[in-house]
Every structure is written in structure tokens, then in C-alpha cells.
Amino acid sequence: MLELHAITAGYDRRAPVVREVSLTVEPGEAVGLLGPSGCGKSTLARVAALLHRPDSGTLVLDGEPVRGWRHQAPRALRTAIGVVFQQPRLSSDPRLRLADLIAEPLRATGRREEAAGRVAELAAPLGLTPDLLRRRPHEVSDGQLQRACLARALALRPRWLICDEVTAMLDASTTAALVEAIEHYRSTTGAGLLAVGHDHTLLRRWCDRTVHWDALTSSDGHTTAALDVPASRSAR
Amino acid sequence: MTSISDATSGTAAAEEAEEAEPVWRSRGTDRRSTRTIRVYTSATLIVATVLAVLLVPPAVQLDQQAIDLSAKLLPPSWEHPFGTDDVGRDLLLRCVHGLRVSLLVGVAAALAATVIGTAVGACAGALGGWVDRGVMRLVDTFSSVPHLLLGIFIIAMFRPGVWPVVISVALTHWLSTARIVRAEILSLRSRPYIDAAVSGGASRWRVTVRHLLPGVLPQAALAAVLMIPHAMWHESALSFLGLGLPTHTASLGTLVQSARGSLLAGQWWPTLFPGLFIIVPTLAIAGLAGAWRERLNPRRRSELML
């Protein structure tokens, strides 16, 4: 279970982007989170991926409350969640070849000897040829890079996947290939998925359940207010 | 309607013509070609300096320390192209030896300063929080003391020699590199690929060494090269004040210092040539590094003008 309870988070304590949001993802379930641009769903995804410390609220992962974020989170917890970001260009180190990019989590966790085999295993179904794997991020297209980023997220066989607008910059066929790869991984491992996006059609067809951002508000309805008026005004 | 659109398109055309004026274009190309000339001149001078420093002392089997009192203070001639000093030593040979020492000190001090600065800046930037605040206040404190003065304090703790000068210059010049590296790391740290690395289980150390430091390397290398002329000036200044190298060791600073007396007597060559040897290589290095900096960051060119 990935449980977010009454999460308030943002980049300025006086004007949080996410207010009192709660969301639960069951094991093996695919949840689509829909919301307009700028509503804070990416921030929520970062909190769920242990990459951003919330101002308040709790995150319970597989029954255990999370106490630290980023480097303060235990490595086993961090690597239990695979993250794919919206912009592959920004989320890949420009100096690493795609093969190294995909192998990086394995090397970082001291499983260097598995790297070559795992990269080949991940790359083939995603259509990443050995030629592509030798290139650096600026030498491949957005779609190819996003597939490499997905392979990197799957390298450590995470139990949870968080996809933040992964298909926003891609064409229909790449989107289909990416979704198919994620679904294939989920069907073999039973991993849960939190997919964030604004594409209703895609998320409705992809996920078991979709939630609209507005529906996540707690009883006092703060989040709805935050959607309509500038954060600073609603903070007063 | 047609007339209006004609008129607007006419204005647009006129504007375009104005923009494509030869004056404007020639200024653009001019600037570019002066830059190319500057790069080539600087590179040639640097190569010449390095060759002179490496090849002349072994090739010319004359002793730069050989004293010949019968030939003291001779003006430039074919036999002594730069003349001789007050005890009859050949100035060309002394200058080349001096340049050798000054370059060695400059390069060693710049490298040491960059290593210290990069390490401190990377720690501050990567760890953040109170470490960052503490370290940067320390940097501010050090920067508030004039660095020549601080360098004199440091050098006073050692016997005169080459390495005390290197230590003194290095310990007073890592501050700007630390600031540059910290700022660069702070900007890299918020990139999504760092998030991806954290999520992939990378430790703080690995994030810093594998993802952050390679990103600041170009800036750090540039800072190191720009530091070389600065360090050479500092060596000269310290030696000129009699605090750097011992007077019998030829360095550009000691040469100028020992020639000070004869300048008042009208002998210009013992000061002029070592002076030129300080100015020309440092300007060449600064020129080349400046061009590199413009290439590295063309957007901020106006801010970077020296």
C-alpha cells in the first residue's frame, strides 16, 4: 500500500502548492491522477517518490510510515519506488551514454556485475538497440530517451512506479510503446502504479482507477480554493 | 487594406534592410575576427613562452649565475640582446630562468587553489544546510582581508623559497573558485537528473562525484587557467617586496626588484625586459582563457568583459 495522508507540501511554507491531500494506491493497482497544469500534482508525485519533504502529513509505504526524504530515506525504501519524469532531457545526466544511464542505479547500489545483463534485458523490449545505447542523451530523440529513462526506473525492479506526465512530450506510437512496456512490467511483477497526467483519455484507458485532483481535497476544501485563486490569496 | 498591408510590409522591409546594413554586419564580423586574432596571438605567445622556458636553459650552456664584473650594466647588443645586470649576468638568460620559476609557481599555485576551492565549494553546495552557511561565512571572512596582506602573513611563517610562495598564493586564492563551484553545484542540484539519481539509490558521495562534479569541471578548469596569470603577478609582487624568493634565485619579481636601483641611474633594460616577461605571458593566458570563457557561456558575454 502506498498511502498519502493529508499531505501539505510546497516550496514556501507560507504558500504550499499541495494542501491536505490524501491518496491511496493498493498493491498492483494502477491509479491515474488527473489535474490541470500547475495544480501541484507533480509536487505530490515527488512527495510520493520520497524526493520532496512535505510540510505536514504522512506517507505510509507498505505499512511503514516514512520518516526521511531524499538521502535521509533508507536506500531500500528509495529504490522500492521507480520514478519516470516528464522531461527526459532534464532527467538524464547529459554526460552518460544511455547504457550507463540505465545501469547507473545498479552501480550506485553496488550491483555492478549485474549491470551489463540487466541493461540488455531491459533495453531489448523497449527497442533500444546497441547502437542507441552507445549514444549520449543529446544524440537521441525525446522518445528514445524517455524509453531509456523508463528502463533506468525499472532497473532495480521497484514495487511501485510513479510516472509524472511521462507521455506529455511524445507522439502516439511512442506513448503506446511506453505504456505497453510499463504494463508488461506490472503484469510480471505486480507493481503498483501512480500515473500523473492531464490526458483523460489516456489515463482512463491505462489505469484501473482515475482520480481527479479536485476529489482529493479534504473536507475543508482547501485544495479546490487553491485551484481557483492564486496561492497567496487563498493563504490569507 | 492593401495599402495598409503594403505600408506595413514596406516598413518591415525597410527595417530588414536596416538590420542587414553592411555597417552592422561588418561590426559583427570585425568583432569575431579580432577575437580569432586574439586567440591565435595568445596561443602563439603561450607556445613560444613554454618552448623558451623548456628549451633555452638546456640549449644555451651558459651559467645564468656567472658573474662578470667587467661586463656590468651593458646596454642591449648582439652579444647580450637584453643587456647585462649590475654584476654582468646576461639578462636574456636570467629572464628565461625567471620566467621558468614564475610559471612553475603560477601553475602550481593555480592548481592547488583550484583543488582547494573545488573541494570546499563542492562540500558547501552538495551538503547544503548549516555546512553551506558555515563554510560560505568562512569564505566571506577570508575575502574581507586583502589577499596580498594575508599572503604576507602566511609566507612569514616559512623560510624563503618556491614552495612557501605557492602555499601562500594557493591559500589566499581558492575563495573565488569555491564561490563559483558552489553556485554551479547549487544550480545543478535542483535538476531532475539528480532526483533520478537519488531515487536510484545513489549516496550523497556518489551524487556529488558522479553527477555534480563532472558538471562543474569546465568552470573549475577555466578558473584554474585564469588563476595562473594572477598567481604569477602575486609571485612577482611578493618577490618584489623581498618576501617571496631569495634574491639570488632568478624570478621575474626578484629581477625587477634588484634592477630598481639602476633604473634611477638611467639604465632601463634591467627593469623593462623582466617587466615585459611578466606582462606578455600573463596577458596571453588571460586572453586565451577569456575567449574560452566566452565560448563556454556566450550569453553572459557582456557581463564577463574584463
Side-chain angles (χ1 to χ4, degrees), chain A residues 63-192:
Chain A
E64 214 173 308
V66 171
R67 299 187 199 289
W69 268 262
R70 296 189 78 87
H71 284 294
Q72 271 127 35
R75 181 184 270 172
L77 219 55
R78 267 189 277 155
T79 54
I81 305 172
V83 197
V84 189
F85 297 92
Q86 180 173 6
Q87 288 164 309
R89 279 294 145 216
L90 298 179
S91 59
S92 49
D93 189 331
R95 276 165 299 274
L96 298 185
R97 296 175 193 285
L98 295 200
D100 295 322
L101 192 81
I102 299 170
E104 188 56 29
L106 289 161
R107 292 189 184 140
T109 49
R111 290 153 68 185
R112 191 172 292 271
E113 59 292 338
E114 293 171 45
R118 186 83 179 115
V119 169
E121 192 182 309
L122 287 161
L126 284 165
L128 295 166
T129 60
D131 166 55
L132 282 174
L133 288 176
R134 271 194 297 275
R135 298 200 206 166
R136 288 178 207 281
H138 68 270
E139 296 165 324
V140 300
S141 73
D142 272 355
Q144 288 160 339
L145 196 56
Q146 190 65 300
R147 278 182 269 162
C149 287
L150 174 63
R152 173 179 63 183
L154 300 181
L156 294 173
R157 298 195 176 83
R159 283 175 311 210
W160 300 95
L161 263 178
I162 292 176
C163 296
D164 182 9
E165 301 252 25
V166 281
T167 57
M169 328 255 300
L170 308 176
D171 61 60
S173 66
T174 319
T175 301
L178 214 61
V179 170
E180 196 186 333
I182 294 173
E183 283 310 299
H184 176 72
Y185 173 77
R186 292 202 326 111
S187 66
T188 50
T189 59

Side-chain angles (χ1 to χ4, degrees), chain B residues 4-300:
Chain B
I4 291 170
S5 73
D6 270 349
T8 42
S9 69
T11 341
E15 269 169 21
E16 255 173 45
E18 209 165 356
E19 255 187 313
E21 277 250 291
V23 179
W24 184 85
R25 248 194 311 186
S26 74
R27 257 176 62 204
T29 42
D30 244 352
R31 199 180 295 151
R32 202 166 309 137
S33 63
T34 23
R35 200 159 97 191
T36 321
I37 292 169
R38 198 174 89 198
V39 168
Y40 280 116
T41 321
S42 304
T44 315
L45 284 172
I46 291 170
V47 170
T49 308
V50 171
L51 284 182
V53 157
L54 290 179
L55 299 179
V56 170
V60 183
Q61 291 295 330
L62 290 171
D63 185 5
Q64 50 123 353
Q65 304 278 29
I67 293 172
D68 179 4
L69 288 175
S70 65
K72 66 177 188 177
L73 287 170
L74 292 178
S77 64
W78 280 116
E79 205 183 336
H80 300 290
F82 285 6
T84 57
D85 69 1
D86 51 358
V87 285
R89 292 177 290 200
D90 181 56
L91 264 175
L92 174 58
L93 213 53
R94 295 280 289 170
C95 280
V96 172
H97 274 93
L99 184 60
R100 195 179 199 183
V101 172
S102 292
L103 260 184
L104 173 75
V105 171
V107 172
L111 272 181
T114 308
V115 169
I116 301 173
T118 308
V120 172
C123 277
L127 293 176
W130 61 267
V131 178
D132 183 26
R133 283 195 292 275
V135 168
M136 289 333 278
R137 285 306 80 77
L138 194 73
V139 169
D140 290 343
T141 314
F142 269 109
S143 317
S144 66
V145 185
H147 54 216
L148 188 57
L149 201 64
L150 194 61
I152 290 171
F153 274 118
I154 293 171
I155 210 162
M157 295 191 280
F158 300 93
R159 281 157 183 271
V162 172
W163 296 110
V165 179
V166 171
I167 292 169
S168 150
V169 176
L171 286 184
T172 47
H173 286 77
W174 55 271
L175 304 157
S176 57
T177 314
R179 284 216 180 98
I180 294 170
V181 168
R182 171 185 172 266
E184 204 61 36
I185 284 203
L186 281 185
S187 94
L188 289 178
R189 215 170 66 141
S190 58
R191 305 265 167 103
Y193 71 81
I194 301 301
D195 281 352
V198 173
S199 165
S203 60
R204 271 180 220 276
W205 171 254
R206 192 173 172 90
V207 167
T208 310
V209 171
R210 178 108 170 130
H211 301 288
L212 293 175
L213 276 182
V216 300
L217 220 58
Q219 266 77 14
L222 176 61
V225 175
L226 277 170
M227 191 72 77
I228 295 173
H230 198 104
M232 286 173 72
W233 291 330
H234 259 265
E235 183 279 322
S236 303
L238 286 170
S239 298
F240 181 78
L241 292 173
L243 295 158
L245 298 168
T247 344
H248 60 85
T249 317
S251 94
L252 298 172
T254 54
L255 287 178
V256 175
Q257 200 246 349
S258 57
R260 223 168 15 135
S262 35
L263 184 66
L264 293 174
Q267 285 107 6
W268 47 269
W269 54 93
T271 29
L272 179 73
F273 291 114
L276 280 180
F277 266 52
I278 299 175
I279 294 167
V280 172
T282 53
L283 278 186
I285 296 172
L288 202 63
W292 179 19
R293 185 162 62 174
E294 279 172 26
R295 253 190 90 107
L296 210 63
N297 202 340
R299 266 184 313 153
R300 278 192 254 152

